[in-house]
Amino acid sequence: MKRAALAAAAMVLIALPLAAQTAPLSGQMSQFGFLVGGVKRMNDIPGSQGRSDVKDFNFGASVKEVFYGTRLEPDTMFKIKAGEMTVPVLVDNGSGGFNKVNGKVDHVDAIIDYRFSEAYGTSGIFGGVGMYRTSSPGVAEDTNAGLNFGANADFPLSRRYGIMFEGTYHYLHTTVRQRFITLTGGLRISF
């Protein structure tokens, strides 16, 4: 957890000068928001196809994320996102295989979000890098870098508030390679 906290602090230190350099081009320059939703594990571990303990499509697990974004250009945002996925994770059992255990995935990401103006608000595509930590109480813990990309839509309620929906693909470069898809929705506050 210390590595993730240090990565988050470093990303905030990088983002603060960017926030100071943006000129007011279209009103609100920064955003804060939270998203909740579901997660699905992508099953790509060799030899796991057909195993009854590795479920296929299921959005029953939960995702909680919070983000801060600042405008770099009129249609480009830099975001720092932190989140937690409560989902069964795969851990190395030490004999060349893996075990599925109940756990969670914590992550802190640095993301570039490119926005498109639409009749209803904005849509966007984004991508970034982050630190991911998979853990299960008393079983295992693994921290390493990862990638994410996806698409989002922002439906404004007023100048300051909006409802966001986001679909994200996460690739974790941990000991046992894991991939997740998250679908989330939540509130965005601009200032």
Side-chain angles (χ1 to χ4, degrees), residues 111-188:
I111 298 169
I112 299 294
D113 186 354
Y114 186 74
R115 299 290 178 92
F116 304 96
S117 293
E118 306 285 352
Y120 57 80
T122 62
S123 62
I125 56 173
F126 61 88
V129 297
M131 290 298 292
Y132 290 83
R133 183 178 136 232
T134 61
S135 62
S136 182
V139 177
E141 186 175 298
D142 193 5
T143 303
N144 213 331
L147 303 172
N148 64 71
F149 62 88
N152 57 27
D154 187 337
F155 302 94
L157 300 173
S158 69
R159 238 183 107 132
R160 185 169 301 268
Y161 300 100
I163 295 176
M164 288 190 70
F165 295 98
E166 198 167 271
T168 310
Y169 174 89
H170 299 269
Y171 171 78
L172 286 63
H173 188 71
T174 51
T175 303
V176 178
R177 304 293 193 264
Q178 299 182 70
R179 301 178 303 154
F180 299 97
I181 293 178
T182 59
L183 294 177
T184 55
L187 181 67
R188 181 261 310 152

Side-chain angles (χ1 to χ4, degrees), residues 1-185:
M1 188 63 179
K2 291 180 183 178
R3 281 192 232 172
L6 288 173
M11 289 180 203
V12 168
L13 289 174
I14 292 169
L16 287 176
L18 294 173
Q21 293 177 8
T22 57
L25 298 171
S26 62
Q28 287 83 20
M29 301 285 39
S30 297
Q31 295 181 350
F32 172 80
F34 62 90
L35 303 165
V36 294
V39 61
K40 186 251 183 277
R41 166 202 304 292
M42 301 297 293
N43 184 10
D44 67 344
I45 306 299
S48 67
Q49 308 307 354
R51 281 182 51 172
S52 62
D53 64 334
V54 180
K55 301 247 189 249
D56 283 338
F57 203 76
N58 181 2
F59 275 107
S62 69
V63 177
K64 294 173 264 186
E65 297 178 330
V66 63
F67 70 88
Y68 170 78
T70 186
R71 192 171 307 280
L72 299 176
E73 293 181 2
D75 295 327
T76 307
M77 303 256 334
F78 173 75
K79 287 185 179 178
I80 296 175
K81 184 190 293 186
E84 174 184 277
M85 297 181 256
T86 305
V87 62
V89 295
L90 299 177
V91 295
D92 189 357
N93 64 13
S95 62
F98 64 92
N99 294 327
K100 186 183 92 168
V101 296
N102 290 330
K104 65 180 183 171
V105 178
D106 297 316
H107 62 94
V108 177
D109 306 310
I111 298 169
I112 299 294
D113 186 354
Y114 186 74
R115 299 290 178 92
F116 304 96
S117 293
E118 306 285 352
Y120 57 80
T122 62
S123 62
I125 56 173
F126 61 88
V129 297
M131 290 298 292
Y132 290 83
R133 183 178 136 232
T134 61
S135 62
S136 182
V139 177
E141 186 175 298
D142 193 5
T143 303
N144 213 331
L147 303 172
N148 64 71
F149 62 88
N152 57 27
D154 187 337
F155 302 94
L157 300 173
S158 69
R159 238 183 107 132
R160 185 169 301 268
Y161 300 100
I163 295 176
M164 288 190 70
F165 295 98
E166 198 167 271
T168 310
Y169 174 89
H170 299 269
Y171 171 78
L172 286 63
H173 188 71
T174 51
T175 303
V176 178
R177 304 293 193 264
Q178 299 182 70
R179 301 178 303 154
F180 299 97
I181 293 178
T182 59
L183 294 177
T184 55

